[in-house]
Amino acid sequence: MDFSFNQEQREWQMKARQFAEEQIRPISLARDRIADAASTWDWDIIKKGSKLGFRTLGVPKAWGGPGADLVTQCIVMAELARGDSAISKAFSQNWKWSQLIAVVCTKDQQERFLKPFLADDTYMLGGARTEPNVGSDHRMTPNSDPKTGFRLKAERDGDHWILNGEKTFIANGSVGKLFFVSARTDFKVPVTEGSTEFIVPTDTPGFRIGKKFNKAGWRFYQNAELIFENARIPHTNIVGEVNGGWKARTSDPSQFNDLELAANAVGVCDAAVEAIMVFVKKPGRGGRTPADQQRVQLKLAEMHMLTESLRAYIMRTAWERDLACAGDKVQAASANAGLVMVYSQEVIQRVTALNRDVRGSARGVMNASADKLERDAFIWTHLAGDSLSRIKTIKKMLR
Ligand SMILES: Cc1cc2nc3c(=O)[nH]c(=O)nc-3n(C[C@H](O)[C@H](O)[C@H](O)COP(=O)(O)OP(=O)(O)OC[C@H]3O[C@@H](n4cnc5c(N)ncnc54)[C@H](O)[C@@H]3O)c2cc1C
């Protein structure tokens, strides 16, 4: 078995590492400290990263994008996250949606949305499912009950659809130019059969941004409400078929929305391991360094083991998903993308907690870097569905 990266993957890794060290890290803590959550965003870092290909990484070469495979995307994600996981996520949020445009959308939609996305360094993408009363359950809905699942309503009006309702906590919400929005087009059947996926540009009449959320972690990343008040969407903006939204959204075999979160987590773990290795080598009480103490060594070993096992699981899963995207049916059925995300939540929270714990009594003192890593790590608990419901991905293996 060969664990080495190919030349292209190594080049992306080095480019991302350099960008994280020279551009992301120097602004990370300052951005995190800004009290107004809507002001933590920085277009300058987005534009610089975009010019290096980090915004468009997932766009296939046929469309003029970098066409990076999923292994490469995970490598880049982790490197950027070592600098700042929220900034890394702001970039990768575009990868999965541009991938969906490339894989699932019509030629006309690709022309209308992929081309401007590639041309504009500030063109950000997002996807909206969560609503004030609908969160985890749209991931593992009790499929038979039409009362569960999102309620945003879409009604046909000639060549258009009229959308009414609200989405909440939507990533890139206040900075995005285009959103994939899941709406209900038939309330009599379960959400899996009665929903449709709409492509909604932000200049759509009747569409506006609502509240922006003041999060404890990932403060750079913008989460906002999307409000639809008789929003008028052309029929040509439907992804797939009417009432085929569930299928459209799940027909991208990359399952990158789980994988990217795990890859981001390993970058945070790398940052925590790196920080603690500096700390433990500094002389402490009686001239001894914390690294001289066996109990500290045990904790360092645990941090390292967990980080490396997560990395191995991510890379194995990314390899599987690349094969699935190339048509491999065995790998397509793997449950690992969901499970590695669950594992990443446990690892990131343990490793960032140990980063604080090893600091002894100093751990009770405010430490901007350790605090940030822990606050960012907490975000994993409620990302993309509660982790308890996410672990039900295992049902794939029981079929
Ligand atoms: C940083 C961030 C970015 C996000 N980005 C997006 C985005 O871009 N697009 C988007 O659509 N959403 C996004 N979300 C929303 C995210 O998907 C939801 O937070 C997630 O699905 C959980 O839903 P919820 O917050 O409604 O919590 P809930 O699902 O309501 O869960 C709250 C608690 O209730 C429990 N619970 C839930 N259901 C049940 C049940 N049936 N029985 C017993 N207990 C239950 C859960 O275990 C949990 O402890 C984002 C969230 C975060 C934090």
Side-chain angles (χ1 to χ4, degrees):
M1 197 179 286
D2 183 359
F3 285 99
S4 55
F5 298 149
N6 65 32
Q7 179 67 21
E8 195 177 344
Q9 288 163 345
R10 271 199 300 273
E11 282 171 12
W12 275 109
Q13 183 180 38
M14 287 307 128
K15 188 153 76 156
R17 186 170 295 175
Q18 192 179 358
F19 185 68
E21 278 168 12
E22 293 176 5
Q23 304 289 341
I24 295 181
R25 226 173 229 186
I27 67 161
S28 170
L29 286 179
R31 287 277 136 194
D32 180 66
R33 273 196 213 106
I34 295 172
D36 173 19
S39 307
T40 57
W41 186 256
D42 178 3
W43 279 114
D44 194 42
I45 195 83
I46 298 296
K47 285 182 200 160
K48 281 181 187 160
S50 175
K51 294 204 187 314
L52 292 169
F54 298 133
R55 192 181 54 89
T56 53
L57 192 64
V59 178
K61 284 188 173 135
W63 277 97
D69 60 16
L70 295 166
V71 168
T72 310
Q73 290 182 39
C74 288
I75 295 169
V76 171
M77 181 92 208
E79 290 295 339
L80 298 181
R82 208 161 64 88
D84 185 309
S85 65
I87 296 178
S88 182
K89 183 68 176 77
F91 283 116
S92 75
Q93 181 68 354
N94 298 297
W95 307 348
K96 64 182 174 199
W97 299 115
S98 53
Q99 160 90 359
L100 196 72
I101 303 178
V103 172
V104 179
C105 287
T106 61
K107 266 253 153 334
D108 160 65
Q109 289 168 343
Q110 289 167 342
E111 284 284 338
R112 283 191 289 137
F113 303 119
L114 215 43
K115 279 195 171 164
F117 169 70
L118 279 163
D120 177 356
D121 287 326
T122 63
Y123 203 113
M124 305 294 282
L125 306 173
R129 266 195 186 184
T130 308
E131 296 179 5
N133 291 314
V134 187
S136 305
D137 61 336
H138 61 221
R139 189 175 177 101
M140 289 293 170
T141 321
N143 286 345
S144 55
D145 187 352
K147 287 200 285 299
T148 61
F150 37 79
R151 315 303 291 168
L152 186 102
K153 189 174 172 186
E155 292 168 295
R156 185 113 194 211
D157 179 22
D159 288 342
H160 283 76
W161 288 80
I162 309 299
L163 269 58
N164 277 294
E166 190 182 318
K167 295 286 180 187
T168 194
F169 240 88
I170 306 310
N172 283 346
S174 51
V175 294
K177 285 203 171 138
L178 193 75
F179 292 96
F180 285 80
V181 176
S182 305
R184 218 45 190 267
T185 32
D186 187 346
F187 282 89
K188 293 189 293 303
V189 294
V191 67
T192 45
E193 295 160 32
S195 66
T196 304
E197 198 69 14
F198 291 87
I199 306 176
V200 181
T202 38
D203 57 4
T204 297
F207 171 84
R208 67 181 169 88
I209 307 300
K211 181 167 124 190
K212 296 166 193 165
F213 292 93
N214 189 13
K215 303 195 301 300
W218 268 11
R219 291 184 56 74
F220 180 92
Y221 200 46
Q222 300 292 302
N223 286 83
E225 291 172 340
L226 309 186
I227 316 281
F228 300 81
E229 293 155 327
N230 290 323
R232 243 178 120 67
I233 320 290
H235 182 73
T236 49
N237 280 19
I238 283 181
V239 184
E241 293 176 359
V242 175
N243 291 328
W246 206 268
K247 187 170 162 226
R249 189 118 169 196
T250 51
S251 48
D252 168 15
S254 73
Q255 294 183 8
F256 188 66
N257 47 334
D258 285 321
L259 194 51
E260 66 161 341
L261 299 172
N264 189 316
V266 85
V268 177
C269 294
D270 282 335
V273 169
E274 196 185 319
I276 204 62
M277 293 309 272
V278 173
F279 174 83
V280 296
K281 287 177 194 156
K282 287 189 185 145
R285 288 185 195 135
R288 294 179 73 209
T289 67
D292 292 331
Q293 299 175 34
Q294 195 182 43
R295 68 189 176 99
V296 168
Q297 291 166 9
L298 293 174
K299 288 173 184 173
L300 296 179
E302 186 182 346
M303 289 172 77
H304 185 73
M305 270 184 327
L306 287 172
T307 303
E308 291 312 314
S309 60
L310 175 60
R311 194 186 326 277
Y313 194 4
I314 290 164
M315 287 305 160
R316 148 84 201 232
T317 307
W319 170 82
E320 281 179 6
R321 296 326 304 170
D322 272 326
L323 289 175
C325 289
D328 185 320
K329 292 213 164 34
V330 175
Q331 303 302 350
S334 165
N336 278 332
L339 297 180
V340 75
M341 163 52 183
V342 176
Y343 183 57
S344 76
Q345 180 214 325
E346 290 172 13
V347 169
I348 190 176
Q349 291 176 354
R350 177 75 181 145
V351 169
T352 54
L354 283 170
N355 175 36
R356 180 183 290 282
D357 177 44
V358 169
R359 292 162 201 268
S361 52
R363 71 177 182 260
V365 176
M366 296 281 277
N367 175 312
S369 163
D371 287 351
K372 178 177 187 305
L373 293 177
E374 261 190 314
R375 281 186 286 105
D376 287 348
F378 177 72
I379 290 286
W380 264 251
T381 305
H382 293 291
L383 271 175
D386 176 78
S387 52
L388 274 180
S389 55
R390 208 181 312 115
I391 205 163
K392 288 195 201 159
T393 319
I394 196 68
K395 77 177 183 188
K396 269 187 162 185
M397 294 170 75
L398 302 173
R399 276 186 199 133

